[in-house]
Amino acid sequence: MTKHVRAAVAGANGYAGMTLVHLLARHPDVAIEQLSSRSLAGKPLASTFPLLSLEGDFLSEVDASKADVVFSCLPHNVGAAKAAGWLEGGARVIDMSADFRLKDASQYPVWYRQEHPAPELLARAVFGLPELHEEDLKSAQLVAVPGCYSTASILALAPAVTSGLVGSDIVVDAKSGVSGAGRSPGLGVHFSEVNESLGAYAIAGHRHLPEVMQELRALGHNGLRLTFVPHLAPMTRGILATCYFDLKGSVEELRGAYAEFYAGQPFTRVVPESPATKLASHTNFCLVHVGAQGEKAVVTAALDNLVKGAAGQGVECFNIAFGFDRGTALESAIQWP
Ligand SMILES: NC(=O)c1ccc[n+]([C@@H]2O[C@H](COP(=O)([O-])OP(=O)(O)OC[C@H]3O[C@@H](n4cnc5c(N)ncnc54)[C@H](OP(=O)(O)O)[C@@H]3O)[C@@H](O)[C@H]2O)c1
């Protein structure tokens, strides 16, 4: 079969990048042509991907003039300065970082500590959550794939917000596995610091909060107030978002709203029991459960931060943008890490 889409992956040796390469390797219409890493430039791809049949070496930079699509798996602020060049080179760009998620350029110095290097591109970026933006993704040249916490939180709350069944402020209590922090070593992700321990962080405000607010407010709830507290859990992968708000209406009405909202969605499923992260592990599914404790709605969502929370969703957006079936290369589970 002809592999007619030439793909480049920038930051291919990180967790998101490696997951992406494994997914693309099974895509029948994609040829993986360029993988970049500063630290591995000149080293053989086979040393990082021994289970894949990839020939050649890592590059220090990708050349967009020789690619149809660039998947950027670089840290925030790094890919933003490169994206304009990739687009000018003729490639479409699917960005896993936070660089193009917020529509308001004035928010970047607040949350990402620097002015946006390419604010003129923000209006062109499509927020890469297919459950909300599938039509826009079909013609997108630049896709901003949402964060892992954001994907879980938005998918957990979108039907409630859309249906007007939220009767109070919302609290999102979210837990992440350690791979959510990336592959670079650091004290905060050191085994003996994380193992058998659980803690909250970024209590004053996590970077994913503004994108969650942006997307939920766009669903028609301008007065929305939301408290988001992330926690680091001693597990390799997974996000669990537990969301609380006062019910406006009955829990049956709320369940009906979720069933209707996600009818026909291939990767977000409303499930009868509150999901554990392990159920979604290595898959592109987001599993959502709708319950209540008295008059308080309790909605839980579980997903794999590296798949539906990053690379898998990136491939899903790519499939939509290039006219492939949305589930291509996403049918079965990735087994690493
Ligand atoms: N991990 C997750 O669960 C997750 C979920 C959603 C979104 N994301 C986003 O996806 C992106 C990648 O995350 P990750 O977890 O894969 O991170 P990671 O494991 O730390 O990988 C980062 C990648 O970027 C390269 N890199 C680092 N600093 C660079 C620089 N200054 N210039 C050029 N390349 C640089 C690294 O390779 P070299 O150092 O060899 O160049 C590596 O390939 C981030 O923007 C992250 O926010 C991650």
Side-chain angles (χ1 to χ4, degrees), residues 96-217:
M96 304 299 146
S97 85
D99 286 340
F100 298 100
R101 294 176 193 156
L102 303 178
K103 298 290 174 204
D104 180 355
S106 71
Q107 290 296 300
Y108 285 91
V110 177
W111 296 97
Y112 295 101
R113 295 197 196 132
Q114 68 172 48
E115 296 292 335
H116 199 287
E120 70 284 358
L121 291 181
L122 293 175
R124 289 175 63 185
V126 176
F127 196 80
L129 190 63
E131 284 78 356
L132 300 187
H133 299 292
E134 185 170 6
E135 272 314 301
D136 292 339
L137 284 166
K138 287 179 183 168
S139 56
Q141 299 298 308
L142 171 59
V143 175
V145 178
C148 44
Y149 278 129
S150 319
T151 298
S153 304
I154 297 166
L155 291 176
L157 292 165
V161 170
T162 305
S163 60
L165 294 172
V166 176
S168 66
D169 292 7
I170 298 171
V171 174
V172 180
D173 175 303
K175 317 277 188 307
S176 172
V178 183
S179 63
R183 207 176 177 201
S184 302
L187 188 62
V189 293
H190 196 294
F191 178 81
S192 47
E193 305 276 331
V194 173
N195 184 45
E196 296 185 43
S197 188
L198 180 66
Y201 63 102
I203 287 174
H206 186 273
R207 286 169 166 163
H208 289 182
L209 179 60
E211 61 192 74
V212 172
M213 297 301 280
Q214 169 185 287
E215 293 302 303
L216 292 179
R217 283 186 171 146

Side-chain angles (χ1 to χ4, degrees), residues 256-273:
Y258 278 71
E260 190 180 336
F261 197 93
Y262 290 126
Q265 285 295 334
F267 291 114
T268 296
R269 293 211 178 150
V270 183
V271 291
E273 301 291 335

Side-chain angles (χ1 to χ4, degrees), residues 3-8 29-33 64-70:
K3 293 175 174 264
H4 67 270
V5 178
R6 299 166 301 162
D29 297 294
V30 170
I32 299 173
E33 300 227 326
S65 70
K66 295 180 184 151
D68 301 304
V69 60
V70 174

Side-chain angles (χ1 to χ4, degrees), residues 11-17 36-40 73-76 78 82 96-98 101 146-148 179-184 305-306 309-310:
N13 62 322
Y15 281 149
S36 79
S37 152
R38 294 167 312 165
S39 59
L40 297 180
C73 301
L74 300 172
H76 60 261
V78 175
K82 302 175 191 277
M96 304 299 146
S97 85
R101 294 176 193 156
C148 44
S179 63
R183 207 176 177 201
S184 302
N305 56 295
L306 295 175

